[in-house]
Amino acid sequence: MESRSSSDARPFNVLAAIDLSPASRGVLLRALWLANAEETGGEVHVVTVGDRDAAARLQELATSAVKEFAVPSRPGHVQRVVTHLLTGDPAREIVWLAAHIDADLIVMGTHGRTGVQRLVLGSVAEHVVRTAGCPVCVVRNKHHDESWRVPEIEPPCPDCLAARNQSGGATLWCERHQSHVHTHVYSGAETTRTVRRAVVPWGFSP
């Protein structure tokens, strides 16, 4: 993201594009956080594309999120928050408004799709990322697959166990797994010793 000097009087404009779904609050709070990081001042423009009935909900959500964000312990650099209600094609209207307000960043959410569904072209987020004239931050709920954090632990090779038992622990590896052994030579003032250890990449099977 391009840095801004303190002499730049124009605020850092963040456009938060929401659909009034439960995930919208997270998108708006992220937009406020990003705008507030600019000590030179920031503005947050909140937009939803819908009918007139959405105006009250939009205003209520924006007011609630601002109150939640504006805690005494957090320095306040956001100059103002503006809401916009547009009608038409969502992606086109979001990109149009971003150009109209000279947005420095667009923040928007996804519907949490995974796998192939995330790659299907035609979503609002995909169109905005492809056509917007500024960076786009796509917000998703944080959810890391716990199984990816755990290294795969393989059971000992039967041939390696046999080699250890037969040698009383002097030989750790069978002939097939000798390639895992790296030799390191340490030079000292009086002695030179060799240390042998198995090196297996974390999380990968041989």
Side-chain angles (χ1 to χ4, degrees):
M1 189 178 297
E2 183 180 352
S3 61
R4 296 162 60 85
S5 65
S6 59
S7 60
D8 189 352
R10 189 180 68 82
F12 184 82
N13 286 336
V14 178
L15 175 60
I18 62 176
D19 58 3
L20 299 178
S21 68
S24 295
R25 177 176 291 273
V27 173
L28 185 47
L29 290 173
R30 178 60 60 90
L32 288 165
W33 183 82
L34 290 168
N36 196 61
E38 293 290 327
E39 294 184 2
T40 55
E43 287 188 0
V44 174
H45 293 258
V46 189
V47 60
T48 193
V49 180
D51 53 31
R52 292 182 181 180
D53 294 338
R57 296 167 57 201
L58 174 63
Q59 188 66 36
E60 180 181 357
L61 176 60
T63 301
S64 174
V66 168
K67 288 181 179 179
E68 179 180 343
F69 185 81
V71 295
S73 60
R74 181 182 291 117
H77 302 300
V78 177
Q79 296 181 5
R80 64 174 182 156
V81 176
V82 184
T83 58
H84 303 264
L85 176 62
L86 302 177
T87 59
D89 177 74
R92 182 180 178 87
E93 294 301 316
I94 291 168
V95 174
W96 173 85
L97 182 60
H100 184 73
I101 66 171
D102 194 18
D104 297 289
L105 177 69
I106 298 172
V107 181
M108 61 189 308
T110 69
H111 293 288
R113 297 185 178 92
T114 59
V116 175
Q117 289 181 324
R118 289 180 58 191
L119 303 179
V120 175
L121 300 181
S123 69
V124 175
E126 186 274 330
H127 277 287
V128 172
V129 169
R130 181 164 50 84
T131 59
C134 64
V136 179
C137 173
V138 180
V139 177
R140 303 189 68 210
N141 290 331
K142 182 178 179 180
H143 178 70
H144 297 293
D145 190 333
E146 293 294 330
S147 65
W148 294 347
R149 297 187 181 189
V150 181
E152 295 179 7
I153 302 175
E154 294 187 342
C157 166
D159 294 335
C160 288
L161 288 177
R164 295 171 195 177
N165 291 333
Q166 292 173 3
S167 65
T171 300
L172 298 178
W173 312 102
C174 66
E175 292 185 6
R176 184 163 56 95
H177 288 128
Q178 284 296 324
S179 61
H180 291 285
V181 181
H182 291 194
T183 301
H184 301 270
V185 178
Y186 297 84
S187 299
E190 299 178 354
T191 61
T192 300
R193 58 193 177 94
T194 301
V195 179
R196 305 176 72 202
R197 64 186 179 91
V199 178
V200 180
W202 178 90
F204 292 88
S205 302

